[in-house]
Amino acid sequence: MKLLTRIVSLLVLSLALSACGWQLRGDTATLNTEGVSVAVVSQVNNPVAAALREQLTLSRALAVEGSETLTIEVGRIRKEKRVVAVDQIGEASVYRITLSTEVSMTDMNGETVSAATRMSQSGNYNYDKRILDAMTEEELSLDQRLEQQLAQSIARKATILGRNLRP
């Protein structure tokens, strides 16, 4: 009887956990960078380029100087913030932020693989003027997420193009 109670308890517990949506997940997909070595060129304080270097380092695709199969040039980051919804009295209640940059890629011989292309990421956040500090933090958090997403998009494009360059 005790064994049956334990089995039923475990079954109920596992059903309850799955019903709550509890799962183990990663927050990003792993890049398949086998055989791709990438160098990143940008302004010194470019947050998207920094996030891109970090992602390439984690996936072991950041090139040691002179060994790159692909060079990515990340341009200046542009931020656009606009109102997308207003409340009953006409004040902003939702903002949309768009981060964009020009990205070009060249191969190890300096030939253009991908001409300068504008890449961007957008996201919304709710705004409440009564809690300005929290809204400032929310905007900064969204900026950081968009920088990471933009870097991921660039890394995916570079990985695909870099695999096509391999001998």
Side-chain angles (χ1 to χ4, degrees), residues 10-11 14 22 45 66 72 85 87 112 117 128 133 147 167:
L10 284 174
L11 182 61
S14 66
W22 184 78
N45 59 349
I72 303 172
D87 59 16
T112 301
T117 306
D128 186 348
D133 288 342
E147 289 164 359

Side-chain angles (χ1 to χ4, degrees), residues 29-38 52 54-63 69-70 72 152 154-164 166:
T30 304
L31 293 172
N32 179 9
T33 58
E34 186 177 331
V36 179
S37 182
V38 181
L52 179 59
E54 181 180 316
Q55 289 177 17
L56 292 170
T57 299
L58 291 173
S59 59
R60 296 187 179 110
L62 189 64
T69 55
L70 189 67
I72 303 172
Q152 288 171 358
I154 295 168
R156 281 192 300 271
K157 182 176 181 177
T159 300
I160 292 167
L161 292 173
R163 272 193 250 129
N164 293 333
R166 290 188 302 194

Side-chain angles (χ1 to χ4, degrees), residues 16-29:
L17 285 175
S18 65
C20 294
W22 184 78
Q23 298 176 29
L24 294 175
R25 295 183 189 144
D27 61 348
T28 60

Side-chain angles (χ1 to χ4, degrees), residues 96-154:
R96 172 175 289 263
I97 293 180
T98 302
L99 292 184
S100 62
T101 187
E102 294 278 332
V103 177
S104 61
M105 299 181 193
T106 55
D107 66 10
M108 63 192 104
N109 300 320
E111 294 184 29
T112 301
V113 174
S114 176
T117 306
R118 180 162 302 281
M119 296 182 74
S120 64
Q121 291 289 324
S122 297
N124 296 343
Y125 73 98
N126 295 327
Y127 182 78
D128 186 348
K129 71 177 185 176
R130 296 172 293 180
I131 48 174
L132 290 177
D133 288 342
M135 294 299 96
T136 301
E137 288 297 318
E138 182 69 24
E139 184 175 341
L140 288 173
S141 175
L142 179 58
D143 286 348
Q144 291 171 346
R145 284 193 311 268
L146 293 175
E147 289 164 359
Q148 290 291 326
Q149 291 170 1
L150 192 51
Q152 288 171 358
S153 296
I154 295 168

